[in-house]
Amino acid sequence: IIDGHRRYAREQNVPLKFAYQRSASKIPDVARAVFQKGVGELSIYAVAKYNLERDRTTEVDPLCEVIGQTLDDWLDHQILDDTSIRFLGELDEMDGLRPKMEQVQEAYQGEHRLNILMAYSGELERQRAIQQCIEQGLPFTEANLLTFHKPSTPIDLIIRTAGVVRLSEGPLVGIAQSKMYPIDKKAPETITYDVMATISKFRSDLL
């Protein structure tokens, strides 16, 4: 969960768009390192649905502009090998960016799975999964809910930047056994090493 862009922009006296750009530019390196570490699926919670209710001019427009530029870059340059990229969430609310997201999904196919959560609401995903179970006469077990929920696999580790130790609006299914580890740096300051050190600590704690 990438967090802390507004605080970073205020503290560093830089435009919010610059903070978004710094975070977006790090996604390929982080994903590559995570997959090399043996992780099969990585979900990056980029935009919560409620984020789109913020001020359009100062927050939403710069965010969507950076996302559009990032998608163009991913289409122009192969940023990850052997990786399937999926965009999950209410994509039609992403300022007309859905067609580009679908192009990226078509361009990137592979063994590793990178999920980018956009205009995402864990509550809406849970409601849809429950409705599907009702329609098919299935009990509300985690396994059945995960069949219809996106992401569709249990989550082992939740990493949130900016030192936040709460799950405000992330995936609400598949987290029963997951652990949350904060990174004290804000998202634009976080580097690949921070993520990998957190994964190593999580794995060490399991021993």
Side-chain angles (χ1 to χ4, degrees), residues 64-76 85-87 91-92 94-108 118:
C64 289
E65 184 177 349
V66 169
I67 293 172
Q69 293 170 347
T70 301
L71 294 172
D72 286 336
D73 184 53
W74 290 5
L75 288 170
D76 292 340
I85 297 180
R86 297 188 304 166
F87 294 92
L91 304 185
D92 288 331
M94 289 302 301
D95 203 28
L97 293 171
R98 179 169 191 150
K100 283 187 181 180
M101 294 179 190
E102 291 175 345
Q103 290 178 44
V104 170
Q105 290 181 150
E106 292 175 4
Y108 288 85
M118 296 282 193

Side-chain angles (χ1 to χ4, degrees), residues 1-199:
I1 302 175
I2 54 177
D3 195 11
H5 295 95
R6 291 185 296 177
R7 278 170 285 171
Y8 175 85
R10 286 195 300 268
E11 292 171 4
Q12 301 298 320
N13 195 28
V14 296
L16 185 56
K17 180 180 176 180
F18 175 79
Y20 291 141
Q21 288 172 326
R22 284 205 66 181
S23 291
S25 67
K26 298 174 183 180
I27 291 177
D29 285 343
V30 170
R32 194 175 298 113
V34 166
F35 295 142
Q36 289 174 353
K37 194 78 170 178
V39 175
E41 184 167 9
L42 171 66
S43 296
I44 296 179
Y45 195 178
V47 184
K49 184 174 168 59
Y50 65 80
N51 290 151
L52 300 179
E53 299 171 2
R54 293 174 176 169
D55 184 81
R56 183 80 194 181
T57 302
T58 61
E59 296 197 38
V60 178
D61 284 348
L63 173 62
C64 289
E65 184 177 349
V66 169
I67 293 172
Q69 293 170 347
T70 301
L71 294 172
D72 286 336
D73 184 53
W74 290 5
L75 288 170
D76 292 340
H77 308 93
Q78 187 78 14
I79 52 114
L80 288 169
D81 296 322
D82 197 23
T83 300
S84 293
I85 297 180
R86 297 188 304 166
F87 294 92
L88 309 178
E90 308 300 301
L91 304 185
D92 288 331
E93 297 188 19
M94 289 302 301
D95 203 28
L97 293 171
R98 179 169 191 150
K100 283 187 181 180
M101 294 179 190
E102 291 175 345
Q103 290 178 44
V104 170
Q105 290 181 150
E106 292 175 4
Y108 288 85
Q109 302 290 329
E111 178 183 358
H112 306 299
R113 289 175 291 179
L114 173 60
N115 304 318
I116 310 290
L117 279 56
M118 296 282 193
Y120 184 87
S121 167
E123 183 61 37
L124 282 178
E125 281 295 329
R126 182 170 63 176
Q127 290 174 8
R128 292 194 183 106
I130 289 173
Q131 183 61 37
Q132 289 289 330
C133 285
I134 292 173
E135 292 176 359
Q136 300 195 25
L138 299 172
F140 300 146
T141 64
E142 183 173 80
N144 287 338
L145 289 172
L146 280 170
T147 302
F148 308 108
H149 189 273
K150 298 176 182 178
S152 58
T153 54
I155 298 170
D156 298 314
L157 170 63
I158 300 171
I159 299 174
R160 185 164 185 167
T161 61
V164 179
V165 195
R166 57 181 168 80
L167 186 64
S168 54
E169 240 297 286
L172 299 177
V173 176
I175 63 172
Q177 305 300 321
S178 64
K179 304 293 184 182
M180 175 173 278
Y181 285 63
I183 291 177
D184 288 334
K185 296 179 181 178
K186 300 169 189 67
E189 302 168 320
T190 301
I191 61 176
T192 301
Y193 172 82
D194 301 317
V195 177
M196 302 313 297
T198 304
I199 293 175

